[in-house]
Amino acid sequence: MFSEPASERTFLWVGLSILLILVLAIGLVLLTRQPTYRGVLYDPPVAAPDFTLYTVGGREVHLSDFRGKIVLLFFGYTTCPDICPTTLAVLRQVYAGLGKAAEHVQVLYVTVDPERDNPDRVQEYVSFFQPAFLGLSGSLEALEPVWQAYGVTRIIEPAPASAAGYFVTHSTRLYLIDQEGQLFLSYSYGTPPEDILHDLQELLK
Amino acid sequence: MKKLLVLILLLYLTACSRPAVNLSIEEAWARPGMAGGNSAVYFVIENLGMPDNLLAASSDVAKAVELHETVMEGDQMKMKHLHQVPIPAGEKTHFQPGGLHVMLIGLQRDLKVGDTFELTLTFQQAGDQTITVTVQQP
C-alpha cells in the first residue's frame, strides 16, 4: 500500500468543490430563468379594463368571458384598406402558426368607426381573415370608454374629395392580455408574426 | 431599299408621336376583399425615362379608385388622399403596405386569392398604362 501525497488530495478536493459550485450555479440559473419576450412588457402587468361590446346578431361579449385564454386585442375599422388588414393578416399567420394551441388564444378586433361598422359588418370583415376571430362594435357611448381605457386615440378626418367620405386616424398597438386577465405585452405596427408567435408559445408553456 | 426607308420613317414617326414610355410597373398585387368592401393595390414603378407624375387610377373592379398614402405618426395611423404622386426618374417608387397604395372603394365583386383584374394608371407623361393585378395574401 502506498498513500497519496497530501498536496494531491488537496488538489482533488478543490477540484470537486469547484465542480459542485458550478453545478449549483447552473441549476439556480435554470430554475430562476425569466423567459424573454419580444413585445413591450407591462412591468408590472396591470388588470386589463373589462368591457361589454357586441358581435354578430347583437350578442353581448365581455372581455372577462375569455379568462383562461390569451387575448390579442386590436382596434381598427373595416373601411381602413391598408394598416388594419395588414395587422389582421399578421394575426391570421400567428393563429395558423399556433396549430392546435390556437384554442387557447382569442383575437378580438374592436372598431373605432361605429357609424359604419355595426357588429355584423365587423364580424363579417374579420371572419374574412379567420372565422375564429371576434369582431366587436357597439354604440359610441359603449365604445368611447373602451378606447379611453386602452389609450386608443381616434380622430375622424373628413375627406370630402374621397369616395370613402372620411378616414379615422387611430393608434395601431396590439395588446396581449394573459390568462389571468392582465395586460402583459403590447406590440407596435409592423411587428413580424414570428415575434408574436414566439411570445404566445412562451406564455402557453 | 425604298421599303426600308419607309419602315425607318414609320418607326421615326411612331417614336415622335407618342412620348417614350420608360416606365415598368411590376409586382402588382391586391388584398383579398369582399363585395361592397374595400381593398388596396400595391406595385413597384421603375422610371427609366423622364420625371413623371401618377395622376389617377381606374378599374371596373370597384366603384371608386383613389391614390392614398398611409402615414404613421408615432403609434397613430393616418390616411391621406393624394391627387398626384411624383414618379422621379431613375428611381423605383414603391407602393406597399403602410405607405403609398391604390385604394379600391366599394368592390363590385369578391376578390379571392388567385383572381386577377385590370387596373389603368394614368401618368402625366406616359399616359394610360394598364396592368394586370393578382389577388394574394400579403
Side-chain angles (χ1 to χ4, degrees):
Chain A
M1 285 298 280
F2 81 102
S3 70
E4 281 176 82
S7 65
E8 222 169 85
R9 227 178 303 151
T10 316
F11 187 70
L12 189 72
W13 279 115
V14 170
L16 276 175
S17 311
I18 290 174
L19 196 69
L20 188 71
I21 290 167
L22 269 176
V23 166
L24 282 175
I26 291 169
L28 199 71
V29 166
L30 283 178
L31 279 174
T32 58
R33 190 182 71 96
Q34 290 294 320
T36 51
Y37 296 101
R38 299 183 184 168
V40 178
L41 205 58
Y42 282 85
D43 194 17
V46 289
D50 199 11
F51 53 73
T52 304
L53 291 170
Y54 304 89
T55 186
V56 70
R59 183 168 69 83
E60 237 180 58
V61 173
H62 315 269
L63 176 65
S64 53
D65 297 345
F66 306 103
R67 198 61 56 84
K69 284 189 178 193
I70 296 173
V71 172
L72 291 172
L73 177 67
F74 175 65
F75 297 82
Y77 66 114
T78 68
T79 314
C80 169
D82 191 37
I83 295 278
C84 310
T86 304
T87 303
L88 276 167
V90 164
L91 291 174
R92 186 179 56 82
Q93 277 173 271
V94 170
Y95 201 80
L98 283 168
K100 205 178 162 343
E103 65 188 29
H104 304 297
V105 176
Q106 180 64 56
V107 172
L108 300 181
Y109 180 96
V110 175
T111 187
V112 290
D113 184 16
E115 201 180 311
R116 282 186 289 217
D117 292 347
N118 62 32
D120 288 3
R121 184 177 157 123
V122 189
Q123 187 57 54
E124 188 188 10
Y125 179 71
V126 299
S127 293
F128 195 79
F129 293 87
Q130 166 54 250
F133 294 176
L134 266 178
L136 302 174
S137 185
S139 64
L140 190 63
E141 293 70 38
L143 282 160
E144 261 174 344
V146 183
W147 300 328
Q148 212 163 23
Y150 286 88
V152 175
T153 50
R154 176 254 185 204
I155 304 150
I156 299 280
E157 311 261 9
S162 168
Y166 64 91
F167 303 123
V168 188
T169 294
H170 65 94
S171 44
T172 50
R173 279 203 99 69
L174 171 71
Y175 303 91
L176 186 151
I177 298 162
D178 70 11
Q179 294 96 322
E180 281 81 47
Q182 304 271 320
L183 263 171
F184 189 67
L185 292 166
S186 76
Y187 302 89
S188 60
Y189 168 74
T191 302
E194 307 82 64
D195 287 8
I196 302 169
L197 187 61
H198 165 272
D199 289 357
L200 288 170
Q201 284 167 338
E202 195 68 57
L203 276 167
L204 288 168
K205 265 179 190 170
Chain B
M1 190 63 197
K2 204 175 163 190
K3 263 186 190 168
L4 189 67
L5 273 175
V6 171
L7 191 70
I8 289 169
L9 190 68
L10 268 175
L11 275 172
Y12 184 73
L13 282 175
T14 331
C16 287
S17 59
R18 354 164 54 196
V21 172
N22 271 308
L23 290 178
S24 86
I25 306 161
E26 305 287 342
E27 300 164 50
W29 66 279
R31 292 179 185 286
M34 49 193 184
N38 303 328
S39 178
V41 186
Y42 308 95
F43 41 78
V44 180
I45 302 177
E46 185 171 14
N47 186 357
L48 299 168
M50 300 297 286
D52 208 337
N53 278 302
L54 175 60
L55 302 176
S58 60
S59 173
D60 58 11
V61 83
K63 282 191 190 124
V65 182
E66 299 177 0
L67 305 175
H68 284 203
E69 183 174 22
T70 303
V71 183
M72 292 295 289
E73 288 171 358
D75 246 7
Q76 279 191 57
M77 186 282 295
K78 200 181 172 108
M79 190 74 75
K80 274 165 54 181
H81 181 196
L82 305 174
H83 299 287
Q84 61 174 43
V85 179
I87 308 295
E91 279 181 34
K92 282 184 175 177
T93 305
H94 292 262
F95 283 66
Q96 60 195 6
L100 290 167
H101 55 277
V102 170
M103 184 173 175
L104 306 175
I105 303 170
L107 291 172
Q108 304 280 20
R109 56 183 168 93
D110 287 349
L111 293 184
K112 295 197 179 71
V113 172
D115 288 357
T116 58
F117 62 89
E118 291 200 330
L119 178 79
T120 301
L121 300 174
T122 306
F123 295 90
Q124 201 162 27
Q125 304 299 330
D128 284 358
Q129 304 287 326
T130 298
I131 56 170
T132 301
V133 179
T134 305
V135 179
Q136 63 182 63
Q137 295 285 4

